[in-house]
Amino acid sequence: MHPHVLPHPVVGFYVRAESLLEAEAAALSLWHRARAGVVELQGWEAVRAESPLFRPELETGPPQGTGWTE
């Protein structure tokens, strides 16, 4: 969660889906569940749901810039 990003806060979810459309729908569904269960989020509205495309079969190592080591 990045609550101070402008123009809107950013909440991130990791989802696995067969398509970009399914991933975005899953992220939006997770947002609604989180918002319903966390009092501090109940005043927030989802502006949009976006998902970056990640293809694990093309990855050769740990994500760059994360500090992870093998």
Side-chain angles (χ1 to χ4, degrees), residues 2-56:
H2 304 282
H4 304 293
V5 175
L6 297 175
H8 307 288
V10 174
V11 178
F13 300 101
Y14 286 91
V15 298
R16 186 175 201 150
E18 293 295 320
S19 71
L20 193 55
L21 187 61
E22 286 179 23
E24 291 171 347
L28 193 56
S29 176
L30 284 168
W31 163 251
H32 288 296
R33 289 177 53 195
R35 184 175 174 239
V38 179
V39 174
E40 293 84 359
L41 298 179
Q42 291 177 357
W44 292 17
E45 295 283 334
V47 174
R48 65 180 180 261
E50 298 176 352
S51 293
L53 193 55
F54 171 70
R55 295 189 48 196

